[in-house]
Amino acid sequence: MALFKPEKQLHPPEKGSDFAFPFLPYDIQLDFMKTLYTVIHSGGIGIFESPTGTGKSLSLTCGTLTWLKDYVRLMEVELQEKIVRLRAEIARLEKENESSSDWISGQYSAMGQRKELDELNHFKQSIEEYQKHLLRMKDRAVLHKIRLEKIRPKDDTLREEPLQQDVTIDEDEFLLPEDSDGSDEEPEADRENDEERYRPVQVIFCSRTHSQLSQVVSEVKETEHSKDLRLMSLASRQSLCINADVRKLKSSTLINERCLELLNKGGKSKASAGDEGDDGRSVKKRRKLTQSCPYYNQRAIEGLKNGILFEVPDIEDLVKAGKREQACPYYASRAAIPDAQVLMVPYQLILHRRTRQQSGIRLQDAILIIDEAHNLLDTISAIHSQEVRLEQLRLAKVHLSAYKARYFSRFSTKNLLRINQLIFIATRLGKVLSPEGSSTNRSRMLETQELLLEADIFNLNLSDILSFCERSRIAQKVHGFAQSAAPELLEQNGPSIRSKVGTTSKGSTSELKSLLKNLEEDYKNKSQKKKAGRPVSKQAVESAPVSNQENDQQLQSKPSVTNAIRPLINFLECLVEDAGGGSGDSRVMISFDEKDLSQASMKYLLLNPGGKFEDIVQSCRSVVLAGGTMQPTEELTEQVFRNCRERVTIKSYPHVVPKDAVLPIALGRGPTGKDFLFNYNNKHNVEMLDELQSTLLNISQVVPHGVVVFFSSYDFLDLFTRKLEESGNRARLEERKKVFREPKTSGQVEKILSEYGRAARSATGAILFSVVGGKLSEGLNFSDQLGRCVVVVGLPYPNRTSPELCERMRYLDRSLAGATSGASSAGNEYYENLCMKAVNQCIGRAVRHIRDYAAVILLDTRYCTGERIRRKLPVWISERMECAERYGQAHGKLVKFFRDHKAKHVEETH
């Protein structure tokens, strides 16, 4: 249904209270909300930079939700006014026609007015029906809560998890349905009903992590907007699943597949033994007991959706409610999407087209807000990249061939064709990577079409094959078959095949033939047992669950079989997505390991992420990108918005802290006057490493509490800490600050941060050595005593010899030739921007609220001499930054800065 759009202009409120802002807003917060309001109403694109601690998320939500309420109110008023005006106009025309000689022209004019009136009345009626639908949802939610209160235990504890529902299945569990290759088009009637249904303007709030989204939801709850707001938080099964057996699986892929398996089992009718195969032979079906998911109950899911939608839930609220009501939070949140005014979603659900469509999210006329958008283009590239290894292709061929051999006589002709095509694709792609199949064992870049030609799969319809894979769920079925149908065979043959992936294809083929022969013998043995006609006793049937439990324990003790089909399908999806993009917007990187040719791989690289996001921009009513450090913004305007520059508004706000709360210093020399130039050539410069040690020793003596030092790489950090130990300066540094360093494994991060926090708050303080782009450089909060000083050592430029980076730079040079200002090419701009965005994220770890203060020290002479580099720093840093020609100047400024703040703290205390 075409959405009626008001013609009148909306003007943003003048006061913070009109935005329902929970506090008296700062001037920059009020300006932020007013500018945001105007951008959304005009259908524009906003790029907002507002440092952490300035209430950015709260300004985003209050400004957007205020516009949404005003817009709905204006639309209803203007719709009614236009209906009244049209009725009066039609009445006037009919009266004139009674006395007019040219009644034909009058009737024609009245006919057009009546048609428009009918459309508006129909639109008004659809709104009224939708409002009644919402009232019914509220009523059902109230009744559902009353019903739950009656059955809830008196101690108000969560009920025990329901027993798993037993479902009898057989070896047909892994057989493809007959209509797997049928049409997947949406029925015409469903499409018509969907078009007739009124859909309100939807706000989609997108951020990088679930914790960031939960924080935004908690802020919304503190505002007046939370009253009667329909908000839903979306997440993956890994975050929302409440089935203990599924939740304990290690990866999101395994959780997704297990969930779909349980749903499929729950919907299947019980199979009967003794059916006949297509060739008339009686087939013995192995029956066993398995379980469906007890939380996938449509009535319970509907009740959970109705109740939670009006409660502004975050992920934790959804999980708690799901456990309390014994209903699946994942499917309840998906069911709430059409009725929600605000959706809180992670990046993947929005930025990847296929995932977005499968989730049921519609971008048409939506307001899309992307928070923490500083790495938007890199995130899109990463989401659309996919790697498949030679080992996975070989294993996929083995599993598919074994699966085909087991069920050959049971497949329909179309399903057999699709399976053969998948085997052919895995074989041909594997040949491109295999030593004997590749013309050269050197790494190289191919265009997508070149890969299809070299692999000889250019004449296959990959879209149809992928549709078959999605409808049939063949990845899950083959994986399940590989795990349970013949695990002993795969255990015997899998390792030998994996150990021979670097050998000739003849060897691989012989392994495959051996596996298929074993499968055939296994099948014959089962048939012979069937002919024996051994009766099944009642006692055997009653003991089946026990034996099944023993089998499950035996299977769990065996090593799990990886899903080799899923990486292949994901890679093919990238190739199909590429077919809809521009020519040359992607590459496939073929990589070989000279030491071990079996580690060969091919990786799909998206070179034009702006093209993917441009499709999103065209669908949405308005797009807002926000972040604490959005500089340099030219990257976005050139790569994403160059075709709609007139819609773009860029605002960069200062920090809310006073100017004397931040001391940014660019330091180009150490205490002995040695220049700091931390480039690749000087990486092992002993004099410079000694100068760096002296500088950090002096800084640690002046700065109270916590100091966080960021190095350009783990290798450089290892080198520095080794030199620190050898020189004896580690012991001297420990006398001034307790020393910590960023761990290389994620499991130790929380422990290190906790210990660092305790030490930083002590009188001695602490110093933490971290890595730019590492685990501590983004998303963490080093406020107050945790980060009184942030030091960035050098400029963390990425490895310029990386094949992937070189290809991206060449692509930008070709596609954006002449678009950049000055002598720098687009590729060099991208290279420099990668560095500066990483530096800006490190800087943003400190000064997190209005009462915070910290020093920011940038150690490298290029910070002092490079105007282009300084211009790409955050505004609140670049405007205040001072370049110290000698270390003594910087040391004096640090002493005065912390002495003044100590005196100020004493005054406030007394």
PDB file of all heavy atoms in Angstrom, residues 868-883:
ATOM      1  N   ARG A 868      47.879  16.757   6.944  1.00  0.00           N
ATOM      2  CA  ARG A 868      46.805  15.832   6.539  1.00  0.00           C
ATOM      3  C   ARG A 868      46.459  14.879   7.681  1.00  0.00           C
ATOM      4  O   ARG A 868      45.294  14.544   7.890  1.00  0.00           O
ATOM      5  CB  ARG A 868      47.258  15.027   5.318  1.00  0.00           C
ATOM      6  CG  ARG A 868      47.279  15.810   4.024  1.00  0.00           C
ATOM      7  CD  ARG A 868      48.109  15.083   2.974  1.00  0.00           C
ATOM      8  NE  ARG A 868      47.799  13.651   2.932  1.00  0.00           N
ATOM      9  CZ  ARG A 868      46.749  13.129   2.304  1.00  0.00           C
ATOM     10  NH1 ARG A 868      45.909  13.935   1.676  1.00  0.00           N
ATOM     11  NH2 ARG A 868      46.537  11.838   2.299  1.00  0.00           N
ATOM     12  N   ILE A 869      47.467  14.444   8.418  1.00  0.00           N
ATOM     13  CA  ILE A 869      47.239  13.519   9.530  1.00  0.00           C
ATOM     14  C   ILE A 869      46.475  14.210  10.653  1.00  0.00           C
ATOM     15  O   ILE A 869      45.506  13.668  11.192  1.00  0.00           O
ATOM     16  CB  ILE A 869      48.585  12.958  10.031  1.00  0.00           C
ATOM     17  CG1 ILE A 869      49.162  12.001   8.999  1.00  0.00           C
ATOM     18  CG2 ILE A 869      48.413  12.263  11.376  1.00  0.00           C
ATOM     19  CD1 ILE A 869      50.544  11.509   9.324  1.00  0.00           C
ATOM     20  N   ARG A 870      46.877  15.421  10.991  1.00  0.00           N
ATOM     21  CA  ARG A 870      46.206  16.158  12.064  1.00  0.00           C
ATOM     22  C   ARG A 870      44.759  16.447  11.700  1.00  0.00           C
ATOM     23  O   ARG A 870      43.873  16.458  12.561  1.00  0.00           O
ATOM     24  CB  ARG A 870      46.952  17.454  12.352  1.00  0.00           C
ATOM     25  CG  ARG A 870      48.359  17.246  12.902  1.00  0.00           C
ATOM     26  CD  ARG A 870      49.016  18.540  13.286  1.00  0.00           C
ATOM     27  NE  ARG A 870      48.278  19.226  14.349  1.00  0.00           N
ATOM     28  CZ  ARG A 870      48.689  20.356  14.900  1.00  0.00           C
ATOM     29  NH1 ARG A 870      49.818  20.922  14.503  1.00  0.00           N
ATOM     30  NH2 ARG A 870      47.990  20.934  15.850  1.00  0.00           N
ATOM     31  N   ARG A 871      44.513  16.694  10.413  1.00  0.00           N
ATOM     32  CA  ARG A 871      43.147  17.005   9.968  1.00  0.00           C
ATOM     33  C   ARG A 871      42.197  15.815  10.134  1.00  0.00           C
ATOM     34  O   ARG A 871      40.991  15.998  10.243  1.00  0.00           O
ATOM     35  CB  ARG A 871      43.203  17.444   8.503  1.00  0.00           C
ATOM     36  CG  ARG A 871      41.886  17.917   7.918  1.00  0.00           C
ATOM     37  CD  ARG A 871      42.100  18.683   6.612  1.00  0.00           C
ATOM     38  NE  ARG A 871      43.048  18.006   5.745  1.00  0.00           N
ATOM     39  CZ  ARG A 871      42.715  17.020   4.897  1.00  0.00           C
ATOM     40  NH1 ARG A 871      41.474  16.599   4.857  1.00  0.00           N
ATOM     41  NH2 ARG A 871      43.620  16.477   4.115  1.00  0.00           N
ATOM     42  N   LYS A 872      42.756  14.622  10.192  1.00  0.00           N
ATOM     43  CA  LYS A 872      41.929  13.417  10.306  1.00  0.00           C
ATOM     44  C   LYS A 872      41.749  12.953  11.750  1.00  0.00           C
ATOM     45  O   LYS A 872      41.142  11.908  11.992  1.00  0.00           O
ATOM     46  CB  LYS A 872      42.535  12.288   9.461  1.00  0.00           C
ATOM     47  CG  LYS A 872      42.471  12.591   7.969  1.00  0.00           C
ATOM     48  CD  LYS A 872      43.054  11.482   7.123  1.00  0.00           C
ATOM     49  CE  LYS A 872      42.926  11.848   5.641  1.00  0.00           C
ATOM     50  NZ  LYS A 872      43.456  10.798   4.749  1.00  0.00           N
ATOM     51  N   LEU A 873      42.259  13.707  12.680  1.00  0.00           N
ATOM     52  CA  LEU A 873      42.020  13.431  14.095  1.00  0.00           C
ATOM     53  C   LEU A 873      40.647  13.971  14.491  1.00  0.00           C
ATOM     54  O   LEU A 873      40.099  14.851  13.812  1.00  0.00           O
ATOM     55  CB  LEU A 873      43.094  14.083  14.951  1.00  0.00           C
ATOM     56  CG  LEU A 873      44.508  13.495  14.841  1.00  0.00           C
ATOM     57  CD1 LEU A 873      45.520  14.409  15.524  1.00  0.00           C
ATOM     58  CD2 LEU A 873      44.556  12.098  15.464  1.00  0.00           C
ATOM     59  N   PRO A 874      40.055  13.511  15.598  1.00  0.00           N
ATOM     60  CA  PRO A 874      38.784  14.069  16.064  1.00  0.00           C
ATOM     61  C   PRO A 874      38.905  15.571  16.302  1.00  0.00           C
ATOM     62  O   PRO A 874      39.966  16.058  16.729  1.00  0.00           O
ATOM     63  CB  PRO A 874      38.523  13.321  17.375  1.00  0.00           C
ATOM     64  CG  PRO A 874      39.306  12.063  17.264  1.00  0.00           C
ATOM     65  CD  PRO A 874      40.511  12.388  16.445  1.00  0.00           C
ATOM     66  N   VAL A 875      37.837  16.302  16.047  1.00  0.00           N
ATOM     67  CA  VAL A 875      37.860  17.760  16.174  1.00  0.00           C
ATOM     68  C   VAL A 875      38.261  18.183  17.580  1.00  0.00           C
ATOM     69  O   VAL A 875      39.059  19.125  17.757  1.00  0.00           O
ATOM     70  CB  VAL A 875      36.479  18.344  15.799  1.00  0.00           C
ATOM     71  CG1 VAL A 875      36.448  19.846  16.042  1.00  0.00           C
ATOM     72  CG2 VAL A 875      36.156  18.048  14.344  1.00  0.00           C
ATOM     73  N   TRP A 876      37.748  17.499  18.598  1.00  0.00           N
ATOM     74  CA  TRP A 876      38.031  17.900  19.976  1.00  0.00           C
ATOM     75  C   TRP A 876      39.485  17.635  20.376  1.00  0.00           C
ATOM     76  O   TRP A 876      39.953  18.141  21.387  1.00  0.00           O
ATOM     77  CB  TRP A 876      37.074  17.211  20.953  1.00  0.00           C
ATOM     78  CG  TRP A 876      37.121  15.715  20.949  1.00  0.00           C
ATOM     79  CD1 TRP A 876      36.541  14.870  20.064  1.00  0.00           C
ATOM     80  CD2 TRP A 876      37.795  14.884  21.900  1.00  0.00           C
ATOM     81  NE1 TRP A 876      36.799  13.564  20.376  1.00  0.00           N
ATOM     82  CE2 TRP A 876      37.564  13.542  21.510  1.00  0.00           C
ATOM     83  CE3 TRP A 876      38.561  15.124  23.040  1.00  0.00           C
ATOM     84  CZ2 TRP A 876      38.073  12.456  22.207  1.00  0.00           C
ATOM     85  CZ3 TRP A 876      39.077  14.042  23.744  1.00  0.00           C
ATOM     86  CH2 TRP A 876      38.826  12.725  23.326  1.00  0.00           C
ATOM     87  N   ILE A 877      40.213  16.859  19.559  1.00  0.00           N
ATOM     88  CA  ILE A 877      41.649  16.652  19.771  1.00  0.00           C
ATOM     89  C   ILE A 877      42.462  17.618  18.916  1.00  0.00           C
ATOM     90  O   ILE A 877      43.370  18.305  19.410  1.00  0.00           O
ATOM     91  CB  ILE A 877      42.039  15.197  19.449  1.00  0.00           C
ATOM     92  CG1 ILE A 877      41.452  14.245  20.494  1.00  0.00           C
ATOM     93  CG2 ILE A 877      43.553  15.045  19.372  1.00  0.00           C
ATOM     94  CD1 ILE A 877      42.079  14.366  21.870  1.00  0.00           C
ATOM     95  N   SER A 878      42.137  17.705  17.623  1.00  0.00           N
ATOM     96  CA  SER A 878      42.941  18.519  16.706  1.00  0.00           C
ATOM     97  C   SER A 878      42.898  20.005  17.070  1.00  0.00           C
ATOM     98  O   SER A 878      43.890  20.718  16.914  1.00  0.00           O
ATOM     99  CB  SER A 878      42.454  18.320  15.261  1.00  0.00           C
ATOM    100  OG  SER A 878      41.103  18.714  15.123  1.00  0.00           O
ATOM    101  N   GLU A 879      41.740  20.493  17.592  1.00  0.00           N
ATOM    102  CA  GLU A 879      41.634  21.907  17.951  1.00  0.00           C
ATOM    103  C   GLU A 879      42.467  22.268  19.178  1.00  0.00           C
ATOM    104  O   GLU A 879      42.852  23.418  19.352  1.00  0.00           O
ATOM    105  CB  GLU A 879      40.166  22.261  18.201  1.00  0.00           C
ATOM    106  CG  GLU A 879      39.316  22.302  16.928  1.00  0.00           C
ATOM    107  CD  GLU A 879      37.879  22.679  17.230  1.00  0.00           C
ATOM    108  OE1 GLU A 879      37.500  22.649  18.431  1.00  0.00           O
ATOM    109  OE2 GLU A 879      37.133  22.996  16.286  1.00  0.00           O
ATOM    110  N   ARG A 880      42.749  21.289  20.035  1.00  0.00           N
ATOM    111  CA  ARG A 880      43.464  21.573  21.280  1.00  0.00           C
ATOM    112  C   ARG A 880      44.906  21.067  21.254  1.00  0.00           C
ATOM    113  O   ARG A 880      45.664  21.335  22.184  1.00  0.00           O
ATOM    114  CB  ARG A 880      42.737  20.910  22.464  1.00  0.00           C
ATOM    115  CG  ARG A 880      41.250  21.194  22.512  1.00  0.00           C
ATOM    116  CD  ARG A 880      40.600  20.492  23.687  1.00  0.00           C
ATOM    117  NE  ARG A 880      39.146  20.479  23.573  1.00  0.00           N
ATOM    118  CZ  ARG A 880      38.319  20.091  24.524  1.00  0.00           C
ATOM    119  NH1 ARG A 880      38.789  19.677  25.674  1.00  0.00           N
ATOM    120  NH2 ARG A 880      37.009  20.110  24.335  1.00  0.00           N
ATOM    121  N   MET A 881      45.294  20.330  20.222  1.00  0.00           N
ATOM    122  CA  MET A 881      46.582  19.651  20.229  1.00  0.00           C
ATOM    123  C   MET A 881      47.749  20.627  20.091  1.00  0.00           C
ATOM    124  O   MET A 881      47.716  21.544  19.279  1.00  0.00           O
ATOM    125  CB  MET A 881      46.649  18.608  19.109  1.00  0.00           C
ATOM    126  CG  MET A 881      47.840  17.670  19.271  1.00  0.00           C
ATOM    127  SD  MET A 881      47.743  16.199  18.246  1.00  0.00           S
ATOM    128  CE  MET A 881      48.156  16.884  16.652  1.00  0.00           C
ATOM    129  N   GLU A 882      48.782  20.376  20.884  1.00  0.00           N
ATOM    130  CA  GLU A 882      50.011  21.165  20.831  1.00  0.00           C
ATOM    131  C   GLU A 882      51.170  20.261  20.425  1.00  0.00           C
ATOM    132  O   GLU A 882      51.246  19.110  20.872  1.00  0.00           O
ATOM    133  CB  GLU A 882      50.305  21.800  22.198  1.00  0.00           C
ATOM    134  CG  GLU A 882      49.213  22.734  22.688  1.00  0.00           C
ATOM    135  CD  GLU A 882      49.561  23.353  24.030  1.00  0.00           C
ATOM    136  OE1 GLU A 882      50.782  23.513  24.294  1.00  0.00           O
ATOM    137  OE2 GLU A 882      48.643  23.631  24.806  1.00  0.00           O
ATOM    138  N   CYS A 883      52.045  20.766  19.573  1.00  0.00           N
ATOM    139  CA  CYS A 883      53.226  20.011  19.158  1.00  0.00           C
ATOM    140  C   CYS A 883      54.419  20.447  19.997  1.00  0.00           C
ATOM    141  O   CYS A 883      54.789  21.632  19.996  1.00  0.00           O
ATOM    142  CB  CYS A 883      53.513  20.245  17.674  1.00  0.00           C
ATOM    143  SG  CYS A 883      52.300  19.492  16.587  1.00  0.00           S
TER     144      CYS A 883
END
